[in-house]
Amino acid sequence: IDQQVLDLMYKTQQEDFYNPSSLYRVSNAIHSKLNKSREIIADIIGAESNEIYFTSGGTESNNLALFGSLRNKKGKIVTSKVEHASVYNSINELKNRGFDVVYAPTNKDGTVKTDGFEDLVDENTIMVALMHVNNETGGINDIKTLCSKAKSKNPKCLFFCDGVQSFCKINANVKNLGIDFYSMSAHKIHGPKGVGALWVSDRIIK
């Protein structure tokens, strides 16, 4: 954790220890600071502040995107066998709950092959779940192309991108990528453990 972050956290816990959802004056000030944090994160990924949801980290963000968006639904999920355990294990649980899971072929560096990717998607595909940057190899998936191919076959399918390893490290404009969900974690950018965020496209919110 960066010392400046640690110092700010200490100051915040000492001086700003109020409920941001309450209506009294000091809480309104905290609410404004919270909104400012959302605006900063949203600006980094080319999103709107109302699309940012704070979580306890990347794992919760991933779980929220997968289980939250697929609740009470059935269909096919396209993913890969090299996803982070928090995604891979969650999708295995969804498989146990009746979802059809298809694994996309990958290259030696763990990136998903773009050629023929659209053939994995059909009218029953409800979700594509792929990481942006591989946490073991550093391989960078061509998310924009993969998302375009998926939605060209089925515009209704959701596209979840695990962005924990890419956030603030490579350019990731979520609107340009065409995706619907993007997860982030503070501890990957010298922030504290136990803090994360999930971007949810306003298309999903509406």
Side-chain angles (χ1 to χ4, degrees):
I1 187 170
D2 188 273
Q3 186 62 46
Q4 293 182 72
V5 175
L6 201 59
D7 292 342
L8 181 59
M9 288 177 63
Y10 181 81
K11 183 175 184 295
T12 298
Q13 291 295 320
Q14 293 294 318
E15 300 177 5
D16 297 336
F17 200 72
Y18 304 101
N19 183 352
S21 297
S22 294
L23 299 178
Y24 46 93
R25 180 177 54 79
V26 287
S27 284
N28 288 336
I30 306 305
H31 183 75
S32 296
K33 289 185 178 182
L34 195 60
N35 283 342
K36 181 61 178 177
S37 296
R38 283 195 174 91
E39 290 173 4
I40 292 171
I41 294 170
D43 185 62
I44 292 171
I45 61 173
E48 302 298 327
S49 60
N50 67 307
E51 299 173 309
I52 303 297
Y53 296 85
F54 289 114
T55 66
S56 64
T59 294
E60 186 183 5
S61 295
N62 294 340
N63 275 263
L64 181 59
L66 291 168
F67 290 106
S69 64
L70 299 181
R71 184 181 180 184
N72 299 323
K73 297 180 181 178
K74 295 295 180 184
K76 179 195 289 187
I77 300 172
V78 177
T79 186
S80 80
K81 291 187 176 181
V82 296
E83 297 304 305
H84 186 273
S86 62
V87 172
Y88 185 82
N89 292 336
S90 293
I91 290 178
N92 275 342
E93 172 59 26
L94 289 167
K95 184 177 181 179
N96 292 335
R97 296 184 186 185
F99 286 85
D100 179 23
V101 178
V102 174
Y103 298 101
T106 57
N107 300 301
K108 289 183 178 180
D109 64 353
T111 57
V112 173
K113 294 181 178 180
T114 57
D115 290 344
F117 179 77
E118 64 274 14
D119 295 335
L120 303 176
V121 178
D122 58 27
E123 61 183 10
N124 295 318
T125 304
I126 193 170
M127 167 76 78
V128 175
L130 297 172
M131 58 172 49
H132 200 173
V133 176
N134 189 287
N135 58 295
E136 298 289 344
T137 69
I140 303 173
N141 273 322
D142 186 352
I143 294 296
K144 184 174 183 178
T145 296
L146 292 167
C147 183
S148 177
K149 285 175 173 283
K151 289 185 178 286
S152 68
K153 286 292 292 291
N154 184 350
K156 293 183 178 180
C157 82
L158 301 173
F159 199 109
F160 162 64
C161 181
D162 175 357
V164 170
Q165 294 289 351
S166 61
F167 178 58
C168 287
K169 298 176 183 177
I170 63 175
N171 183 39
N173 184 301
V174 292
K175 301 295 176 76
N176 185 48
L177 293 174
I179 60 180
D180 301 292
F181 303 92
Y182 183 84
S183 59
M184 298 157 274
S185 184
H187 80 284
K188 294 295 184 180
I189 54 170
H190 304 289
K193 293 182 178 180
V195 177
L198 176 68
W199 169 75
V200 182
S201 170
D202 58 5
R203 297 189 302 271
I204 308 300
I205 300 172
K206 294 175 181 178

